[in-house]
């Protein structure tokens, strides 16, 4: 099952083109002259709004002095980015900033996410997801069920048995105690589902006990995405995603990404082990018996 969204490929291609141009010290106007297009169109290429042709990628990267391997690699990715998206049927209910993240999630080999308030969308049951969405002032009532169905489709594609995403979810202990969905049955089903996911080789569920006090995740939720896929010829620098009300921040500056990586490592050190985390979940489940 395909989990790659072409718009995210365009975004990643744009990031790489931007990095190469800056390393070469070239301006967008200068590159536009080499391509016989406007500097504005080069800017569109770099933010993923438009897709350069393989020939244009060849000209740009040759101008920047990039190695032949990278020229061929990005040209190959451009071919993949010119396909229709599985996300198309949700275009009217998801903003561009979220669509970009979902696409990057589909391209990623490993996502480390810190969940301080609710469970990550990839681990939610349908009922829990509906409980998270239904009372939200940010979601129109007529779009609630479609957003839930989108999360379920993301799970099918990202966690499918073939080429699954490796997911590390660091969650606050309080998330296990926050009643979502209106009935005890919803939380019981969610906790059972979380235990089942934690048994999979590609999923880590690590609980951060409240008793540890201060830690490096207290500044807020984040997701750290790593990309490594030899089959798809994809290599890209890691990206940090930080969601804010009605928008998101994508951190690409590698010094900042490295800081988030250190934060994630520190959270792993103070979190309960996978076995201890499973015990914490089972303890909550026992309360429903």
């Amino acid at each position: 099952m395909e989990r790659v969204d072409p718009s995210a490929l365009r975004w990643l291609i744009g990031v790489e083109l931007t990095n190469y141009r800056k390393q070469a010290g070239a301006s967008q106007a200068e590159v536009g002259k080499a391509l016989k297009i406007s500097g504005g169109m080069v800017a569109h290429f770099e933010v993923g709004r438009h897709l350069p042709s393989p020939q244009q990628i060849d000209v740009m990267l040759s101008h920047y002095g990039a190695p032949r391997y990278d020229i061929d690699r990005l040209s190959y990715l451009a071919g993949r980015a010119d396909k229709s998206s599985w996300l198309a049927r949700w275009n009217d209910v998801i903003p561009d900033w979220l669509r970009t993240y979902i696409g990057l999630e589909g391209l990623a080999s490993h996502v480390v996410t810190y969940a301080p308030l609710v469970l990550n969308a990839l681990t939610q049951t349908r009922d829990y997801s509906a409980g998270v969405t239904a009372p939200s002032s940010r979601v129109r009532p007529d779009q609630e069920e479609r957003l839930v169905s989108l999360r379920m489709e993301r799970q099918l594609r990202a966690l499918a048995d073939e080429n699954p995403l490796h997911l590390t979810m660091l969650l606050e202990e309080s998330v296990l105690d926050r009643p979502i969905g209106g009935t005890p049955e919803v939380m019981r089903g969610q906790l059972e589902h979380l235990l089942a996911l934690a048994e999979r080789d590609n999923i880590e569920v690590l609980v951060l006990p409240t008793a540890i006090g201060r830690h490096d995740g207290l500044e807020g939720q984040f997701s750290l995405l790593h990309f490594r896929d030899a089959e798809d010829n994809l290599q890209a620098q890691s990206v940090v995603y930080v969601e804010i009300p009605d928008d998101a921040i994508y951190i690409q500056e590698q010094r900042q990404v490295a800081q988030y990586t250190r934060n994630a490592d520190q959270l792993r050190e103070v979190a309960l082990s996978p076995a201890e985390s499973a015990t914490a979940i089972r303890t909550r489940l026992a309360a429903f018996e």
Side-chain angles (χ1 to χ4, degrees):
M1 180 181 290
E2 182 66 68
R3 66 183 178 100
V4 174
D5 176 49
S7 65
L9 275 176
R10 291 196 295 272
W11 189 86
L12 278 179
I13 289 169
V15 169
E16 293 217 36
L17 292 175
T18 302
N19 290 339
Y20 270 116
R21 179 179 60 78
K22 289 181 177 180
Q23 290 171 12
S27 67
Q28 291 175 337
E30 176 187 338
V31 179
K33 289 181 180 179
L35 291 171
K36 299 181 180 179
I37 60 175
S38 69
M41 181 57 72
V42 174
H44 287 326
F45 289 161
E46 292 185 354
V47 297
R49 189 169 294 123
H50 294 293
L51 178 68
S53 68
Q55 181 180 11
Q56 288 173 318
I57 288 176
D58 194 311
V59 172
M60 279 188 282
L61 292 184
S62 296
H63 186 77
Y64 303 149
R68 189 72 237 174
Y69 169 80
D70 279 344
I71 296 174
D72 292 341
R73 177 173 59 85
L74 287 183
S75 296
Y76 166 82
L77 290 178
R80 294 198 63 206
D82 197 24
K83 298 179 181 178
S84 60
S85 171
W86 66 269
L87 276 169
R89 57 183 160 141
W90 287 282
N91 280 349
D92 61 324
V93 298
I94 51 175
D96 288 343
W97 55 265
L98 179 57
R99 176 175 178 145
T100 297
Y101 175 76
I102 295 173
L104 292 175
E105 179 183 83
L107 291 168
S109 58
H110 185 196
V111 172
V112 180
T113 181
Y114 167 58
L117 299 175
V118 297
L119 295 173
N120 182 273
L122 292 180
T123 65
Q124 296 174 4
T125 63
R126 180 175 289 275
D127 288 340
Y128 183 97
S129 183
V132 170
T133 304
S136 174
S137 61
R138 297 166 58 188
V139 180
R140 285 172 23 194
D142 62 322
Q143 295 182 349
E144 291 170 3
E145 176 54 34
R146 294 189 64 200
L147 286 174
V148 171
S149 69
L150 170 60
R151 293 191 193 116
M152 299 302 104
E153 185 69 18
R154 282 169 62 187
Q155 292 179 21
L156 285 175
R157 292 174 181 273
L159 305 178
D161 291 337
E162 182 181 350
N163 189 31
L165 173 72
H166 180 196
L167 175 67
T168 297
M169 184 170 67
L170 296 147
L171 68 146
E172 292 290 347
E173 185 177 28
S174 59
V175 174
L176 301 176
D177 299 315
R178 177 169 290 108
I180 299 290
T183 67
E185 287 73 24
V186 173
M187 282 304 297
R188 179 172 59 194
Q190 177 61 70
L191 294 174
E192 290 172 344
H193 181 63
L194 200 57
L195 275 177
L197 289 175
E199 293 177 355
R200 297 181 53 165
D201 292 338
N202 62 304
I203 298 177
E204 292 179 291
V205 177
L206 304 176
V207 175
L208 292 155
T210 304
I212 64 175
R214 187 263 169 207
H215 60 65
D216 282 353
L218 294 181
E219 295 177 359
Q221 66 178 347
F222 66 89
S223 293
L224 176 61
L225 299 95
H226 301 293
F227 306 92
R228 186 179 64 255
D229 193 333
E231 181 180 349
D232 286 339
N233 206 29
L234 174 65
Q235 293 180 352
Q237 293 180 324
S238 298
V239 174
V240 174
Y241 170 81
V242 178
E243 190 168 323
I244 58 178
D246 293 324
D247 207 345
I249 300 170
Y250 290 89
I251 299 172
Q252 305 162 51
E253 207 286 315
Q254 291 304 292
R255 179 185 57 80
Q256 293 176 294
V257 172
Q259 181 59 61
Y260 274 94
T261 301
R262 288 191 290 271
N263 288 355
D265 290 342
Q266 194 266 346
L267 293 180
R268 290 180 68 105
E269 291 177 4
V270 299
L272 299 177
S273 70
E276 292 168 334
S277 296
T279 297
I281 298 170
R282 291 192 188 96
T283 299
R284 269 76 179 178
L285 267 174
F288 292 104
E289 296 178 355

